[in-house]
Amino acid sequence: MENVTVVASFPDTASADVAARRFADPASEIGGASAAPARTAREGRFMVRLVLIIAAWSVAGTAVGGAIGALLSYTVGPHGTEGFILQVVSWAIFAHLIIGLWAGYALLADRSGRELADEEPLVSFEVDRADAPALARALQESGATRVVIQTNASTGMLARR
């Protein structure tokens, strides 16, 4: 008995939640399907983008902070090797944190809608391989716009409505 994952996209969150409750019910026509809550794929892409932007700006901030520290060491002091190292490391850490935080806040405060635009919610079900085609048909009949059957070894079979 091998389990597969059936992922269905719906036009809105309400219909996705109804399908999740309907097919996760043991009394349904496909009993025993365990459903994950509705989510959108855009959330994951946004988080990856957020982390990459913060990391990139933090690296740039480290370089800028190091340059500021070197400049201050030669002009203001303290002079010598220890003073140089102290200034460069201190300013590099400070700029790294400030610029990384600023980049994260700027991205999160952006309400232009690019990351927050509506996308079709996804609901995933874990079922026995034999029940997967029947569940896919039932999901399409209940309003799913796209249904994908995924095994552990493959990317899935696509069924369009």
Side-chain angles (χ1 to χ4, degrees), residues 19-100:
R21 283 192 304 274
R22 175 181 167 201
F23 294 110
D25 182 12
S28 72
E29 60 267 24
I30 313 292
S34 60
R39 59 177 173 77
T40 62
R42 188 172 295 245
E43 295 166 356
R45 288 192 301 263
F46 174 71
M47 290 307 294
V48 167
R49 185 170 175 263
L50 176 72
V51 168
L52 291 176
I53 286 174
I54 290 173
W57 278 101
S58 292
V59 169
T62 303
V64 169
I68 291 170
L71 180 65
L72 287 175
S73 174
Y74 286 123
T75 58
V76 176
H79 300 289
T81 305
E82 293 86 8
F84 177 78
I85 292 172
L86 180 67
Q87 286 283 20
V88 168
V89 169
S90 297
W91 281 98
I93 291 171
F94 175 75
H96 157 76
L97 293 173
I98 292 300
I99 292 177

Side-chain angles (χ1 to χ4, degrees), residues 139-152:
L139 286 166
Q140 286 178 333
E141 291 167 2
S142 67
T145 55
R146 189 172 58 122
V147 177
V148 177
I149 300 172
Q150 297 175 337
T151 63
N152 293 338

